[in-house]
Amino acid sequence: TEQAKRKVEEEAQKELEKTKATILEQSKMAKQSIEAEQKVIEARSKAEEEEARKELEAFQEEARQKYKAQAEKKAAEERENAEQAARQELTAFQEQLRLETERKTEEAKRKVKEEAQKELEKTKATILEQSKMAKQSIEAEQKVI
C-alpha cells in the first residue's frame, strides 16, 4: 500500500509536471498570440493614423484653395468697385468741367457782345459827332459861299 501510495503520488507528480508544462506552453503561446495581436493592432492603428493624416491634409488643402479662391474673388470685386467708383468720379468731373466750360463760354460771349455793343455805341456817337461837325462845316461853307 505504501508502494501504491508512492506510485500514485509519483503519477500525480508526473501529471502535475505535465500540466505545468502544458500551462507554461499555453501561456507562452497566449503571450505570443497577444504580442502578435498587439502588432496587428499597432499596424492597423498606424495605417488608420496615416489615412486620417492624409484626409486631414487633403481637407486642409481644399480649405486653403477655397480661401484663396474667395480672397481672389473678393479682391477682384474690390478692384471692380474701385474702378467703377473712379469711372463715376471721372464722369462727374467731366460733366462738371463741361458745365463750367459752357458757363464760362456763355459769359465770355456775353462780355464780347457787351464790349461790341459799347464799341458800336462809341462808333455811333463818333459818327454822329463827325456828322454834326460835317453838317456845321457844310453850313459854314455855304454861308461863306
Side-chain angles (χ1 to χ4, degrees):
T1 56
E2 192 66 36
Q3 194 176 4
K5 212 180 192 185
R6 240 187 290 148
K7 195 170 185 176
V8 170
E9 280 181 11
E10 285 177 9
E11 288 295 321
Q13 191 62 35
K14 285 181 184 176
E15 278 300 313
L16 184 61
E17 292 300 322
K18 281 184 187 177
T19 305
K20 279 184 181 178
T22 304
I23 290 172
L24 272 173
E25 189 61 35
Q26 288 176 346
S27 178
K28 284 180 185 177
M29 288 172 65
K31 184 179 178 186
Q32 289 174 346
S33 175
I34 290 170
E35 287 173 354
E37 187 67 31
Q38 283 178 336
K39 286 180 182 176
V40 168
I41 290 170
E42 286 175 11
R44 202 178 292 145
S45 182
K46 283 182 182 178
E48 288 172 355
E49 284 177 19
E50 182 64 20
E51 186 178 330
R53 186 187 61 75
K54 286 180 181 177
E55 286 178 10
L56 178 61
E57 285 175 358
F59 174 77
Q60 288 173 333
E61 182 59 28
E62 184 181 339
R64 273 193 291 275
Q65 293 299 326
K66 283 181 183 178
Y67 176 77
K68 183 180 176 184
Q70 287 174 344
E72 287 172 354
K73 183 179 177 184
K74 186 174 181 180
E77 287 173 357
E78 288 174 355
R79 263 193 315 277
E80 178 61 32
N81 290 343
E83 288 172 4
Q84 187 176 359
R87 283 192 298 271
Q88 287 174 344
E89 285 181 32
L90 179 61
T91 301
F93 176 75
Q94 288 173 331
E95 179 62 15
Q96 185 180 359
L97 185 61
R98 185 188 66 77
L99 291 172
E100 186 67 18
T101 302
E102 201 175 274
R103 184 186 66 76
K104 286 189 176 185
T105 301
E106 289 300 316
E107 190 176 311
K109 284 181 185 177
R110 184 186 53 77
K111 283 184 178 178
V112 167
K113 191 175 179 181
E114 287 176 359
E115 289 298 318
Q117 189 65 34
K118 286 179 184 176
E119 281 299 314
L120 183 62
E121 294 298 323
K122 283 182 185 176
T123 303
K124 280 183 183 177
T126 303
I127 291 171
L128 272 173
E129 187 62 36
Q130 288 174 350
S131 180
K132 283 182 187 175
M133 287 173 65
K135 186 179 177 183
Q136 289 173 352
S137 175
I138 290 170
E139 286 174 355
E141 194 64 38
Q142 284 178 343
K143 283 183 184 176
V144 170
I145 294 175

